[in-house]
Amino acid sequence: VQRRPDILKHEIKAFFVKYNDPIYVKLEKLDIMIRLAAQTNIAQVLAELKEYATEVDVDFVRKAVRAIGRCAIKVEPSAEKCVTTLLELIQTKVNYVVQEAIVVIKDIFRKYPNKYETIISTLCENLDSLDEPEARAAMIWIVGEYAERIDNADEILQSFLDGFHDENTQVQLQLLTAIVKLFLKKPQETQELVQKVLSLATQDSDNPDLRDRGYIYWRLLSTDPAAAKEVVLAEKPLISEETDLIEPTLLDELICHISSLASVYHKPPSAFVEGRVPVRKIQVNRNADDAAETDPHIEEDDRAEYNETEETGAPQEEVGGGDLLIGDLLSLDYPAPTPAQPPVNNANQAQPVADLLGDIFGGMDLGGGAPVAAPVASSPMDLFSLSAPTTYVAPPQVILPAARAKGLEVSATFARRNRGIFIDLTFANKTMMAMSGFAIQLNKNSFGLAPGAPLAVNSPVLPGVSATTSLSIVTTGPVMKMEPLLKVQMAMKNDIDVFYFECLVPAYVLFVEEGSMERNLFPQMWREIPDEKEKQFQLPFTNKSQDQVEAVLAANNVFVVATRQGGDGEHLIYTSVKFTNGIWVLGELRLPAGAPPSLALKTQTVAAIAEVHSAICTILAD
């Protein structure tokens, strides 16, 4: 299209978008339409673009609005029609349409200065709807550029300045320049405003770009205001639509390879094979002459390099080494393999010692004070168990349905691993366009849960594809008691929008490994807790034996403090649980022969009892 635009200039209708076109085809057609736009067909193109701006696909709508602005810049006689179309779209009050329209109108002002300033009042009516950095920066530029024609320009810029530290860097830089422009045009009225912005930029900001620009403006204004006018209010070069054209030499090369990937990626063929020769230099245990016999591509410089390596006695890479360049090239996106660990000799490890103090607490078998990763076998049959109990992880559940998130479905499950809390997330893209820019934030909650690291998702997530990730959760965030206790409100962001939802965190992921209570403290704390803070529950019937119950509880940080035998074959298990925020919950679990178990829980924080009861039911039912 760039080399031979005349071939398709009468066929522009072939590139009109169809409703069932995939998003990547739609976007490509828009680009071609803009390149083919001319004075003869601009009416058709504008009618199509205006129609596209009312679609439901946000990315496509944004691109269509920008396309209208590009047409105004490219086809000068149609600029007025394009501006009128953009104003009609602004009147729809659709947030992302308004913001894109303001961005492209800024470019139109740069292309046609002092021509369409009458529309500025309409733009100012939409200040409150601007929440994207690019749109806010564009509006600030317009106010600063035409400050002398806007009666309340100082008030508008003051409203942006009030939240200066919360703004994006792009907005901060534009706001600094706009206020300096305003000062140079109305020095008597805006002296206090310019001093405030210069102070914020130079003293309260740690961004080097913003700080340096602030110092430059400050010194210009204080030493030579006339020079400041020449610099800040200088005439700007007109922008052109041809900025995205391919460089002619590259264009000629791409046309020669139009049937290859070079024309798809807009890169010369040589860009796909760079690095081929350096990889050939990696040779193992052979000299330069042997290498040259088997590989004719090795040049003299390479041969000299081989000989130098041998003469200096540099260590040679061995086959199978973990740091070979070839290995690195094949695993750029993956962690290096973990070296095999030598087998551990269990015979040298300390064995459990018999409890010599078992009679102190009424003849109970008392567990040790420290948490144990796996239960010790208590009968010969346990030696033949296929596997030890593991920490319970619930099946993933949908926490954000696609219908509420514009086609993004989020499933999640909470788990406790390596003494920490994790949320395993699955993002399913149910739309027809790729998604990226994922981020997550948790609101204040009862246990101070917050993301321990940025959300890492393999982006973009293509249409019909799912991506999984695991996010560590820390307990050092802001705390606010929720109802119910384990409710957490979340915000999920991607390049389409921000979505708000909530879910319940299972209590068992909040049980810490330091929750094993000393046996002599258990009866003392049990007696100190008032009886009104004790709750009794009947549990569902379980086929698990006493040993299996103890093992499953211990694997999930519900620690067995003591056990004892009751009448009629009943087993009693005394447990302790500690939450991440230090709340202790004591329990007495009764396992009668042939009947459902019962559970008594006691704690100073009564609100935690229901959550512990629910967690133990879930763990035992697994």
Side-chain angles (χ1 to χ4, degrees):
V1 175
Q2 180 179 331
R3 173 55 68 85
R4 300 280 188 268
D6 292 339
I7 295 176
L8 297 170
K9 69 178 182 180
H10 300 301
E11 307 295 333
I12 194 167
K13 287 186 177 179
F15 299 101
F16 286 177
V17 172
K18 298 176 183 176
Y19 75 95
N20 57 351
D21 281 340
I23 183 63
Y24 53 88
V25 173
K26 289 181 178 180
L27 298 178
E28 202 64 35
K29 282 185 174 181
L30 275 181
D31 280 333
I32 296 174
M33 284 172 61
I34 296 166
R35 292 185 186 278
L36 294 177
Q39 192 171 352
T40 55
N41 58 24
I42 193 66
Q44 285 180 302
V45 173
L46 277 180
E48 281 291 309
L49 294 177
K50 186 178 178 182
E51 184 70 21
Y52 300 161
T54 61
E55 295 280 343
V56 293
D57 192 320
V58 178
D59 276 357
F60 181 56
V61 171
R62 289 177 183 272
K63 186 89 178 228
V65 175
R66 294 214 176 201
I68 296 173
R70 290 176 63 185
C71 288
I73 294 169
K74 181 180 180 183
V75 187
E76 186 170 346
S78 70
E80 189 166 351
K81 289 182 182 178
C82 295
V83 171
T84 303
T85 304
L86 289 171
L87 287 177
E88 290 173 2
L89 292 175
I90 288 175
Q91 297 304 326
T92 64
K93 301 298 182 182
V94 178
N95 183 267
Y96 51 87
V97 173
V98 171
Q99 302 200 79
E100 286 297 327
I102 288 176
V103 171
V104 298
I105 286 174
K106 181 204 78 172
D107 292 336
I108 293 173
F109 282 169
R110 286 198 58 188
K111 176 68 174 178
Y112 310 107
N114 305 316
K115 194 169 182 182
Y116 299 106
E117 291 76 16
T118 54
I119 69 172
I120 292 177
S121 58
T122 304
L123 303 182
C124 292
E125 293 172 4
N126 296 278
L127 284 173
D128 294 338
S129 64
L130 304 182
D131 55 15
E132 294 175 4
E134 190 175 6
R136 292 173 72 84
M139 191 67 224
I140 291 169
W141 182 90
I142 293 171
V143 173
E145 192 68 16
Y146 299 97
E148 71 279 8
R149 306 185 189 186
I150 303 174
D151 295 334
N152 63 336
D154 54 340
E155 296 176 8
I156 294 173
L157 295 179
Q158 178 67 57
S159 67
F160 285 103
L161 190 61
D162 291 339
F164 187 79
H165 290 303
D166 299 325
E167 297 285 3
N168 181 277
T169 301
Q170 176 185 7
V171 179
Q172 290 177 334
L173 290 168
Q174 197 60 258
L175 185 57
L176 172 61
T177 302
I179 292 178
V180 172
K181 286 180 182 177
L182 176 63
F183 173 75
L184 292 172
K185 294 174 181 179
K186 301 179 180 179
Q188 301 301 324
E189 306 166 19
T190 57
Q191 188 170 355
E192 185 178 341
L193 188 63
V194 77
Q195 287 178 346
K196 183 177 180 181
V197 74
L198 290 173
S199 175
L200 288 171
T202 56
Q203 298 175 20
D204 299 346
S205 173
D206 54 3
N207 184 298
D209 293 335
L210 181 64
R211 194 169 56 242
D212 290 350
R213 185 180 293 190
Y215 279 127
I216 290 171
Y217 285 157
W218 202 324
R219 286 169 185 165
L220 276 172
L221 294 172
S222 59
T223 58
D224 193 349
K229 276 192 175 184
E230 291 179 9
V231 172
V232 180
L233 302 179
E235 225 176 284
K236 295 163 188 61
L238 301 181
I239 62 173
S240 167
E241 166 54 22
E242 311 301 321
T243 53
D244 62 337
L245 294 182
I246 300 173
E247 191 267 329
T249 307
L250 175 59
L251 180 62
D252 291 339
E253 189 173 3
L254 295 179
I255 289 176
C256 293
H257 298 88
I258 200 165
S259 61
S260 69
L261 283 176
S263 63
V264 176
Y265 288 100
H266 292 182
K267 292 183 179 180
S270 59
F272 295 92
V273 291
E274 283 181 356
R276 176 176 57 85
V277 174
V279 172
R280 289 183 179 277
K281 292 182 183 179
I282 302 298
Q283 302 292 335
V284 182
N285 294 331
R286 55 180 179 153
N287 58 34
D289 294 330
D290 294 337
E293 290 176 7
T294 57
D295 194 341
H297 294 280
I298 294 179
E299 304 294 341
E300 290 298 327
D301 291 343
D302 302 335
R303 195 171 301 183
E305 185 175 325
Y306 279 109
N307 293 334
E308 181 181 353
T309 303
E310 289 194 352
E311 290 171 6
T312 55
Q316 299 291 322
E317 294 286 348
E318 298 182 2
V319 176
D323 294 324
L324 282 175
L325 176 59
I326 295 175
D328 289 343
L329 291 173
L330 294 177
S331 59
L332 285 176
D333 295 326
Y334 303 93
T338 306
Q341 299 294 328
V344 179
N345 184 4
N346 293 324
N348 295 329
Q349 294 182 354
Q351 299 299 319
V353 181
D355 186 5
L356 301 178
L357 303 176
D359 292 335
I360 290 180
F361 200 45
M364 302 177 183
D365 275 334
L366 298 176
V372 182
V376 178
S378 58
S379 69
M381 288 303 294
D382 287 338
L383 297 174
F384 300 98
S385 299
L386 293 177
S387 62
T390 56
T391 304
Y392 176 76
V393 180
Q397 292 186 340
V398 175
I399 59 174
L400 181 60
R404 288 179 48 205
K406 299 182 180 178
L408 171 65
E409 181 181 276
V410 182
S411 303
T413 184
F414 288 85
R416 189 167 187 89
R417 296 191 294 267
N418 302 323
R419 304 175 68 86
I421 303 169
F422 292 84
I423 177 171
D424 299 327
L425 295 158
T426 300
F427 300 92
N429 186 352
K430 309 278 188 180
T431 69
M432 294 296 292
M433 61 181 178
M435 293 181 177
S436 59
F438 291 92
I440 191 170
Q441 187 60 51
L442 276 62
N443 199 1
K444 295 178 183 179
N445 53 80
S446 304
F447 291 87
L449 302 180
L455 184 62
V457 182
N458 288 330
S459 296
V461 180
L462 299 178
V465 175
S466 296
T468 59
T469 188
S470 187
L471 177 68
S472 65
I473 301 293
V474 296
T475 56
T476 54
V479 176
M480 181 177 72
K481 186 177 179 182
M482 303 295 291
E483 186 62 43
L485 192 66
L486 297 179
K487 182 171 77 173
V488 175
Q489 298 170 332
M490 300 186 184
M492 181 75 66
K493 177 190 174 189
N494 62 10
D495 58 350
I496 295 177
D497 207 342
V498 180
F499 310 104
Y500 301 94
F501 58 98
E502 60 185 39
C503 66
L504 294 176
V505 179
Y508 50 80
V509 302
L510 301 170
F511 299 163
V512 297
E513 287 71 17
E514 293 77 18
S516 179
M517 180 172 288
E518 295 291 339
R519 60 187 179 186
N520 57 331
L521 294 178
F522 187 95
Q524 177 184 342
M525 182 175 284
W526 185 277
R527 287 190 293 267
E528 288 176 356
I529 299 173
D531 291 341
E532 57 268 20
K533 295 188 176 182
E534 177 181 345
K535 301 288 183 183
Q536 305 276 346
F537 302 95
Q538 197 73 25
L539 302 185
F541 185 81
T542 178
N543 290 320
K544 290 182 173 66
S545 66
Q546 178 188 353
D547 293 337
Q548 290 173 326
V549 168
E550 292 180 19
V552 169
L553 293 176
N556 291 277
N557 293 341
V558 180
F559 293 97
V560 176
V561 178
T563 63
R564 69 182 177 89
Q565 191 79 25
D568 300 326
E570 182 181 49
H571 298 284
L572 284 84
I573 302 174
Y574 296 90
T575 63
S576 65
V577 164
K578 185 181 180 182
F579 280 88
T580 54
N581 60 357
I583 295 175
W584 285 91
V585 181
L586 308 184
E588 180 189 63
L589 178 62
R590 292 176 175 269
L591 301 174
S598 63
L599 176 67
L601 294 174
K602 217 174 186 186
T603 177
Q604 296 285 6
T605 309
V606 180
I609 289 181
E611 310 301 345
V612 175
H613 166 241
S614 175
I616 290 178
C617 288
T618 302
I619 293 168
L620 293 180
D622 180 28

